[in-house]
Amino acid sequence: MNYTVNGEYVVLSDVTDFSLPATFECGQCFRWNADENGVYHGVAYGRALEIKSNGDDILLKTTELDFLDVWKDYFDLDTDYTKIRRHVSVNGHMEKAAEFGAGIRILRQEKWEALCSFIISQCNNIPRIKKIVETFCALFGAEISDGLYAFPTAEAIAGLTETDLAPLRAGYRTHYIMEAARAVVYGIIDLNGLAGLPPEAAIKALQTLPGVGLKVSSCMALYGLHHLDVFPVDVWMKKALALHFDCDFDPKVFSPYAGVAQQYIFNFERNNNGK
DNA sequence: AGCCAGGACAAGT
DNA sequence: ACTTGTCATGGC
């Protein structure tokens, strides 16, 4: 992966399989939005970014320092997703799903943000998840620049009450958010330490938190710990698996990229109604 | 209006 | 080991 610095932009000209809409709108993240010009705006690791495409180039409005420090890894630019697409295209349906999802890259999201976001996601729809997450940031995150907020730290949340979180309108998930924040701050769970564990052990540890079951912990492992072989199953995935796969299907056929395969399946099902 | 949403969990078979 | 009811809220 090569880059050049051009004025206020870092320019990627030889990166393959990087579509901004595919990556940002495939359901893995909740804080990136396109403006009327197709420029995506988002925040990660406490830094704001504008990113856009121009022909085959991707332009990031950032410094070289921040690019190397944050965004290069965030966008997983050292991973060859063209190769992964080929690897997971094990049958006709997967060929279609992977082709449709070409350009999706699995972001390396902040661990606490991934955990929190997918706690909020349970039994919820994506537009409302985005709304709750953004309100959460605006109310309790540090303001980076006017109108842009970092994801709230666990420390900032642990000292609050559930009444303080009421404006989120997150319902029964509010209690789970509070408990997760306290577990992090009190050292009951060590999110950074989880990164050194095998995926199954990390998932098991996460499930000791209230309101965190197999699905939420799997999403945290995939999007927050970048375990690309973890295969989260939600209602959309159940529908897709029932429609397009044998009943004895085993996601291990995609190993070590079952999580990426999952993203293609999920994305395809949501956008094509399974056709 | 009513069904459903990137679930988890306890209680009942 | 499976099925069911419940939880809070709003998008479509």
Side-chain angles (χ1 to χ4, degrees):
Chain A
M1 192 279 311
N2 294 304
Y3 69 92
T4 56
V5 179
N6 186 350
E8 57 189 349
Y9 291 101
V10 168
V11 182
L12 311 176
S13 43
D14 67 343
V15 77
T16 60
D17 262 73
F18 191 6
S19 154
L20 300 179
T23 295
F24 291 135
E25 293 169 27
C26 69
Q28 64 173 321
C29 58
F30 306 102
R31 295 203 66 199
W32 290 90
N33 297 102
D35 64 22
E36 60 277 6
N37 300 314
V39 180
Y40 279 87
H41 300 252
V43 175
Y45 295 91
R47 293 175 225 200
L49 180 71
E50 292 179 25
I51 183 169
K52 62 185 180 183
S53 59
N54 180 12
D56 290 334
D57 293 350
I58 301 280
L59 284 75
L60 299 84
K61 196 173 191 177
T62 184
T63 63
E64 181 174 17
L65 199 63
D66 272 1
F67 173 70
L68 295 174
D69 195 27
V70 175
W71 304 116
K72 179 175 175 292
D73 286 335
Y74 183 76
F75 292 111
D76 202 23
L77 294 179
D78 288 327
T79 298
D80 183 353
Y81 282 84
T82 310
K83 187 186 78 177
I84 295 177
R85 272 196 293 131
R86 206 176 309 129
H87 182 80
V88 302
S89 295
V90 298
N91 58 35
H93 187 259
M94 285 309 299
E95 286 173 16
K96 281 196 294 181
E99 177 62 29
F100 181 79
I104 291 176
R105 309 182 74 82
I106 303 297
L107 303 171
R108 294 180 189 259
Q109 301 185 50
E110 293 179 68
K111 299 174 184 66
W112 161 246
E113 175 175 343
L115 173 60
C116 224
S117 298
F118 282 93
I119 285 174
I120 291 168
S121 81
Q122 66 180 260
C123 202
N124 211 340
N125 56 66
I126 290 180
R128 191 160 84 104
I129 296 166
K130 293 179 73 167
K131 184 181 290 186
I132 293 171
V133 168
E134 215 45 54
T135 305
F136 189 52
C137 297
L139 289 181
F140 307 112
E143 187 166 19
I144 299 169
S145 56
D146 49 326
L148 291 175
Y149 300 88
F151 197 86
T153 64
E155 288 75 13
I157 302 308
L160 303 175
T161 66
E162 291 182 25
T163 307
D164 294 323
L165 296 189
L168 300 181
R169 309 295 295 159
Y172 63 87
R173 306 166 192 85
T174 302
H175 176 67
Y176 301 152
I177 297 169
M178 285 297 318
E179 290 301 314
R182 290 175 178 155
V184 168
V185 171
Y186 297 160
I188 295 167
I189 191 158
D190 173 14
L191 298 186
N192 292 321
L194 292 183
L197 300 179
E200 310 75 37
I203 287 169
K204 188 176 176 185
L206 285 163
Q207 288 189 80
T208 63
L209 299 171
V212 178
L214 180 59
K215 162 56 171 63
V216 171
S217 57
S218 296
C219 285
M220 156 60 180
L222 175 57
Y223 306 118
L225 303 174
H226 207 69
H227 286 308
L228 294 184
D229 206 24
V230 172
F231 191 82
V233 177
D234 74 318
V235 293
W236 292 98
M237 287 298 295
K238 282 178 186 165
K239 192 185 306 178
L241 293 174
L243 283 173
H244 312 298
F245 294 82
D246 298 333
C247 53
D248 63 343
F249 160 79
D250 186 340
K252 283 191 194 314
V253 300
F254 302 125
S255 192
Y257 299 113
V260 187
Q262 173 268 158
Q263 204 65 50
Y264 294 135
I265 298 167
F266 174 86
N267 180 248
F268 190 72
E269 195 65 30
R270 264 178 48 86
N271 287 288
N272 294 287
N273 223 1
K275 296 191 190 64

